[in-house]
Amino acid sequence: QVQLEESGGGLVQPGSSLKLSCLASGISFNNYAVAWYRQRPGNQRELVAELDSWGTTFYEDFAKGRFVISRDRAKNTAYLQMSNLKPEETAVYYCCAAPRLNEVRNNRAHYWGQGTQVTVSS
């Protein structure tokens, strides 16, 4: 059974940093593209960042310069390092994976995690 498990969310103050993790089982991230999405209260799920199977990264405009997506192939884990967090970025953050980059880019991922809550508040 393929599973993705996010962790690392929590309550942080505006301007602070947080690192999220996504542990995969049943698949190898060596052969998959990975993406992070988020769903803010009252909104639809939106793309944050992508990582293809060769290691190339892609970011939405709001994430450029503040967020970093990466993977540790040996640990079969993907990460999202976030800095200078804003209150409006309070959301449930999800990781997902698919064999092809265009599938995760277009919300067509084969596998999704259950999400981890990030709350940015003073």
Side-chain angles (χ1 to χ4, degrees):
Q1 182 69 42
V2 175
Q3 290 187 326
L4 304 181
E5 183 179 9
E6 302 97 335
S7 61
L11 174 63
V12 297
Q13 297 184 33
S16 62
S17 299
L18 202 61
K19 187 174 184 178
L20 308 181
S21 299
C22 176
L23 174 64
S25 59
I27 60 170
S28 172
F29 278 153
N30 288 337
N31 303 314
Y32 280 80
V34 178
W36 286 91
Y37 283 77
R38 69 186 183 189
Q39 187 167 19
R40 295 179 286 174
N43 295 97
Q44 296 197 109
R45 189 168 54 203
E46 63 183 340
L47 182 65
V48 176
E50 304 152 279
L51 176 65
D52 72 16
S53 59
W54 294 274
T56 303
T57 59
F58 307 86
Y59 299 93
E60 296 300 296
D61 285 344
F62 67 82
K64 291 179 180 177
R66 296 193 299 123
F67 293 5
V68 177
I69 186 171
S70 63
R71 66 157 60 88
D72 184 325
R73 295 180 184 272
K75 295 180 178 179
N76 212 28
T77 300
Y79 304 95
L80 183 67
Q81 174 68 55
M82 304 183 290
S83 61
N84 194 23
L85 285 162
K86 305 171 183 179
E88 59 265 35
E89 292 174 319
T90 293
V92 178
Y93 285 73
Y94 299 89
C95 67
C96 63
R100 301 179 67 87
L101 178 63
N102 65 346
E103 294 177 289
V104 298
R105 176 172 290 167
N106 293 292
N107 199 23
R108 302 283 294 182
H110 291 201
Y111 308 107
W112 291 87
Q114 70 279 13
T116 185
Q117 176 72 47
V118 173
T119 302
V120 185
S121 177
S122 59

